Amino acid sequence: MIANFGLDLERYWSALPPELPPDWPGGFWWHWLVFTIIIIAFVLGLVMGFIWLERRGMARMQARLGPNRVGPLGLLQPVADAIKVLLKEDIVPDKADKIVHWLAPVVAFAPVLMIFAVIPFQNGALLADLNIGILYVVAISSVSTLGIFMAGWASSNKYSLLAAMRDVAAVVSYEIPVVLALVGVVLLAGSLSLNEIVKAQQIPFILLQPLGFLLFFIGGSAEINRSPFDLLEADSELVAGFHTEFSGMKFAMFYLAEYAEALFLSAIIATLFLAGWRGPLLPPWLWFLIKIIGVFFVIIWIRTTVPRVRIDQLMALAWKFLFPLALINLIITAIQVLAWPEALPWAMIPVNIAIMATLVLLWSKLFKLGWGRVEV
Amino acid sequence: MLADYGYIGLFLVAALLFAVSMLLIPIALKFIKIVPQKPSPTKNSIFECGMETIGKTWVQFNFRYYFYALVFIILDVLVVFLYPWAVNLRELGYSGLIVALILIAIVVVGYLYAWRKKALEWK
């Protein structure tokens, strides 16, 4: 009975939905138009959902109520916020660099939207199936840092500038472990195209690459400046960080970009480690949505659980903990790809989880991440 | 393949247009007096917790990530070399693995040197 059930599950899992033709639905321009609208609607809709989910979820975890007046369960709160922010006065400081101040929200938001061009919603249902998908994601996701730096610099506010500098330092440090953790996925899948990677996941890569998943999750959270790594808007130190001098729609763009980045991290994790649109019974796009919301819920959970780190701890974590482990993970994965017998892919799961546990425990014993006072 | 990059280019245009038009909505609303516009010297000053700002902001100052940036460039080049290798590892076999290990070893020597010299400390 159990064996039978296992076989059934495996059949459901390995049955891929039919691949859509490259320019579905019909013709170059239709494909572009349909997917542009889908992506923008997807991002805006889910960002609103995420804002609601984060505020309600955080309130729940902190034994508060959260927004519950606008609409049923406060569901219309993000809409009310959007309208409010649209009608606010646009304040630009006299000393600010006006052109850069105006451009910064655009530069911060547009690249985040660009990332979704290569994320598959279903087998073959994506704007452009680039054969360098992951490289594209890694390259484009770093550009919005430039927007944040422009915002901090143009504000002519010392706290904003410090916040922007911190963001650049964090992104420069966490880029390396994140990108190295992705190489492990590429090794297993043998392709850079995100759709091909989803197809290669007979077993979700979170089970084959537990260490890579952990490194990518931590590094990704730091790159999109989620708590506990949100040093660039540490309210107790830097007023409101890089967007202190922004109001109205410009501020809303940064807010939007922040949550769109969280959405992009959830979508990338769902695609690369949780088998993307794959899953039994339910339609593929629904599976993808469920996985994205699940990952985002974990991100909220971490935000409410872990206190904010200090900047020297942030740097030490990236350079002394994540980077060496990412290199070791890469080498182990490369050896496994070459030497592991093809017939036994499932046996890799306990081995890799054991390797992850040993390495993380060992490495955290080796040195301390600079607790106590900072030397100045 | 080229068509795919065409999609990306067109999507970039759409994304930029979307972002810019979002910023243009309040400017349009300003003309029909829905969005207020009442600047004053106090409102347009810089907010630093209520203190008057002292001196210029755009000065040179020592922010400490210079060494990190240098190490980052070296490691980033390593990663760029690793991506094509990772895609083709199954065809390259063990010789490919050994070559990549030598490359990684060279970079790791530099990384350990930076660690020993305390270039990775934040101070």
Side-chain angles (χ1 to χ4, degrees):
Chain A
M1 178 63 199
I2 291 170
N4 217 345
F5 176 72
L7 273 181
D8 264 12
L9 201 68
E10 203 167 323
R11 204 184 62 229
Y12 274 125
W13 183 264
S14 15
L16 295 175
E19 181 160 12
L20 301 162
D23 54 356
W24 176 87
F28 182 90
W29 292 101
W30 277 113
H31 178 86
W32 174 75
L33 188 69
V34 167
F35 273 96
T36 303
I37 292 169
I38 287 179
I39 288 171
I40 291 177
F42 171 79
V43 171
L44 289 184
L46 266 186
V47 160
M48 286 198 169
F50 276 11
I51 291 172
W52 178 81
L53 187 68
E54 173 149 40
R55 293 182 66 179
R56 289 290 289 191
M58 263 176 71
R60 203 73 190 157
M61 291 173 194
Q62 295 165 345
R64 301 184 279 119
L65 283 176
N68 60 354
R69 295 285 154 166
V70 194
L73 295 171
L75 265 172
L76 293 179
Q77 186 67 43
V79 182
D81 284 348
I83 294 170
K84 179 200 80 174
V85 109
L86 197 63
L87 302 180
K88 286 276 180 188
E89 182 180 353
D90 178 29
I91 303 168
V92 183
D94 287 331
K95 284 188 186 166
D97 187 330
K98 304 250 165 13
I99 297 169
V100 182
H101 193 267
W102 208 89
L103 270 177
V106 179
V107 178
F109 179 69
V112 186
L113 208 54
M114 292 287 294
I115 294 166
F116 293 92
V118 294
I119 290 176
F121 298 93
Q122 196 164 332
N123 197 359
L126 66 172
L127 180 67
D129 193 2
L130 292 188
N131 54 6
I132 52 153
I134 288 190
L135 202 62
Y136 171 85
V137 169
V138 167
I140 298 287
S141 63
S142 318
V143 177
S144 65
T145 310
L146 196 62
I148 289 176
F149 188 78
M150 282 164 74
W153 189 84
S155 294
S156 182
N157 181 329
K158 294 182 186 71
Y159 292 119
S160 296
L161 187 60
L162 269 178
M165 289 287 196
R166 280 182 176 189
D167 181 50
V168 175
V171 167
V172 159
S173 301
Y174 280 86
E175 191 74 27
I176 302 285
V178 161
V179 175
L180 277 176
L182 288 181
V183 176
V185 172
V186 177
L187 275 169
L188 282 178
S191 170
L192 289 170
S193 153
L194 274 84
N195 204 32
E196 295 299 320
I197 289 174
V198 176
K199 277 190 209 162
Q201 294 185 58
Q202 282 298 329
I203 307 165
F205 283 164
I206 185 175
L207 296 172
L208 296 180
Q209 281 275 307
L211 184 57
F213 169 75
L214 193 72
L215 298 173
F216 184 76
F217 198 98
I218 297 174
S221 306
E223 269 205 36
I224 64 167
N225 312 309
R226 290 293 300 188
S227 184
F229 306 108
D230 57 345
L231 276 159
L232 82 167
E233 40 199 275
D235 318 62
S236 49
E237 304 162 19
L238 295 171
V239 196
F242 66 94
H243 53 53
T244 308
E245 301 295 348
F246 287 83
S247 70
M249 206 58 209
K250 288 179 189 161
F251 169 74
M253 292 295 278
F254 282 117
Y255 203 66
L256 199 63
E258 199 183 314
Y259 278 87
E261 278 183 334
L263 171 61
F264 125 72
L265 183 69
S266 312
I268 291 286
I269 287 177
T271 309
L272 295 183
F273 292 100
L274 301 176
W277 38 259
R278 283 187 105 141
L281 300 176
L282 296 177
W285 57 270
L286 193 59
W287 267 114
F288 186 56
L289 213 60
I290 291 171
K291 284 168 184 170
I292 288 179
I293 292 172
V295 174
F296 185 70
F297 184 75
V298 175
I299 295 178
I300 299 174
W301 196 359
I302 291 173
R303 176 172 176 182
T304 49
T305 309
V306 187
R308 188 182 287 138
V309 297
R310 226 168 38 209
I311 182 111
D312 60 318
Q313 292 168 343
L314 180 86
M315 290 309 204
L317 182 68
W319 289 103
K320 297 177 180 174
F321 187 84
L322 296 182
F323 172 66
L325 286 193
L327 266 188
I328 294 170
N329 176 51
L330 169 73
I331 294 165
I332 290 174
T333 312
I335 294 170
Q336 279 178 343
V337 162
L338 286 177
W340 200 268
E342 288 277 330
L344 288 170
W346 290 94
M348 220 195 254
I349 297 168
V351 173
N352 278 357
I353 289 176
I355 290 174
M356 175 186 79
T358 327
L359 277 177
V360 169
L361 286 176
L362 256 182
W363 218 268
S364 46
K365 292 275 180 231
L366 270 181
F367 68 96
K368 289 194 169 167
L369 284 182
W371 309 112
R373 268 189 89 241
V374 200
E375 292 173 45
V376 184
Chain B
M1 196 62 240
L2 210 58
D4 284 337
Y5 288 105
Y7 286 133
I8 298 288
L10 285 170
F11 189 60
L12 173 65
V13 175
L16 285 176
L17 274 180
F18 175 75
V20 171
S21 59
M22 290 282 273
L23 290 182
L24 286 177
I25 294 171
I27 294 178
L29 290 180
K30 208 184 284 173
F31 284 109
I32 49 173
K33 306 280 183 203
I34 294 179
V35 171
Q37 177 73 338
K38 299 187 190 86
S40 74
T42 322
K43 197 191 271 178
N44 286 4
S45 66
I46 288 157
F47 180 72
E48 287 177 2
C49 303
M51 299 280 287
E52 293 269 332
T53 178
I54 299 168
K56 283 184 70 162
T57 302
W58 299 323
V59 292
Q60 275 195 336
F61 70 101
N62 178 17
F63 200 72
R64 301 156 179 170
Y65 66 81
Y66 184 66
F67 283 120
Y68 292 108
L70 283 179
V71 180
F72 165 76
I73 290 172
I74 297 160
L75 295 177
D76 221 24
V77 172
L78 166 77
V79 171
V80 167
F81 280 122
L82 283 182
Y83 264 89
W85 166 80
V87 175
N88 289 319
L89 181 66
R90 275 172 231 264
E91 287 95 80
L92 293 173
Y94 285 99
S95 60
L97 177 64
I98 290 164
V99 171
L101 284 181
I102 293 171
L103 175 67
I104 291 173
I106 293 170
V107 177
V108 164
V109 170
Y111 165 74
L112 290 176
Y113 178 74
W115 193 337
R116 287 283 300 183
K117 283 283 178 184
K118 298 200 182 343
L120 301 181
E121 310 287 329
W122 182 269
K123 55 175 155 194

